[in-house]
Amino acid sequence: MKPNAYVYILLTDTGTLFTKSIKKYTRAPYNHASIAFNHELTEMYSFGRKNPSNPINGGFVKEDIFTGTYSKYPKTTCVIYKLEVSEREVEKMRRVLNVFIKNKKKFLYNLAGVLGVSLNEPVEFSNSYFCSQFVAEVLHRAGIKLWDKLPALVTPDDFRQQKQLEVVYEGKLFDYPPIKR
């Protein structure tokens, strides 16, 4: 397999009450994970708030930095990684993603799964994911195995510890040069 493409993993900390609670427990600097298919982060997906103003209603989202949840939190900090992949792996990821896109209303946020991670006990439902579980699942279904554990146990901090990921940027999200306006 000749790697010739990249996907990007964005880890963030918006500073919301929910993320502060998670951070207090995990002691990790970032607590949300997203996957993007370009370095400008204009094609980025995750599980999180469906409506930036409503933290309760969560599920599958196509994230938009300028109009979505991040627009409400201009001090968001982040780290952006790139992962070298083959075009074939990108095709597989896009096929998996299309299932999520076509069925987006059926998917829910897996809050029980977040609690399961803290107990090292995977909690999986067919239509329910949390952010890092979703990103790990997309990679896993494309044949990219970064860990020897189920996607339902992958945390945002697991991405930080993964040696195959190369840091592209770390700092304030809105200072990231490709998106800075």
Side-chain angles (χ1 to χ4, degrees):
M1 174 198 73
K2 181 184 161 210
N4 52 8
Y6 294 100
V7 291
Y8 298 83
I9 309 297
L10 172 72
L11 304 181
T12 56
D13 177 14
T14 56
T16 64
L17 183 60
F18 182 61
T19 60
K20 283 179 184 173
S21 301
I22 292 173
K23 199 172 186 175
K24 193 172 265 189
Y25 175 78
T26 65
R27 303 198 191 293
Y30 306 104
N31 42 52
H32 181 70
S34 309
I35 186 167
F37 289 86
N38 60 36
H39 77 280
E40 300 89 357
L41 311 178
T42 57
E43 189 181 359
M44 186 165 63
Y45 304 90
S46 189
F47 267 68
R49 293 180 185 202
K50 288 184 177 184
N51 177 334
S53 301
N54 182 351
I56 304 301
N57 184 17
F60 174 73
V61 290
K62 181 175 192 278
E63 294 183 313
D64 185 309
I65 292 169
F66 300 107
T67 63
T69 300
Y70 295 121
S71 68
K72 302 262 187 214
Y73 302 97
K75 294 181 180 174
T76 296
T77 57
C78 72
V79 61
I80 301 167
Y81 298 96
K82 68 179 179 180
L83 175 65
E84 203 168 7
V85 295
S86 70
E87 289 293 340
R88 179 78 177 119
E89 289 168 329
V90 171
E91 286 174 27
K92 289 179 183 178
M93 283 184 260
R94 288 191 179 282
R95 273 202 303 273
V96 170
L97 199 54
N98 282 334
V99 172
F100 284 92
I101 291 168
K102 287 178 183 169
N103 299 290
K104 66 182 173 187
K105 291 185 178 175
K106 294 179 183 177
F107 288 102
L108 305 170
Y109 189 84
N110 186 4
L111 188 56
V114 173
L115 299 173
V117 168
S118 67
L119 303 170
N120 201 31
E121 217 29 72
V123 177
E124 299 176 279
F125 302 101
S126 62
N127 67 334
S128 188
Y129 294 83
F130 53 89
C131 62
S132 53
Q133 176 188 14
F134 164 74
V135 175
E137 183 76 20
V138 170
L139 295 170
H140 179 80
R141 288 194 198 177
I144 301 167
K145 309 240 187 307
L146 298 179
W147 304 277
D148 288 328
K149 61 179 164 179
L150 295 169
L153 291 175
V154 173
T155 68
D157 210 48
D158 288 329
F159 288 96
R160 277 187 356 106
Q161 309 304 324
Q162 179 45 251
K163 301 292 185 221
Q164 286 180 257
L165 300 176
E166 180 185 333
V167 175
V168 172
Y169 172 81
E170 188 165 16
K172 298 276 187 206
L173 177 59
F174 288 97
D175 288 341
Y176 176 51
I179 67 164
K180 195 168 182 179
R181 292 185 171 176

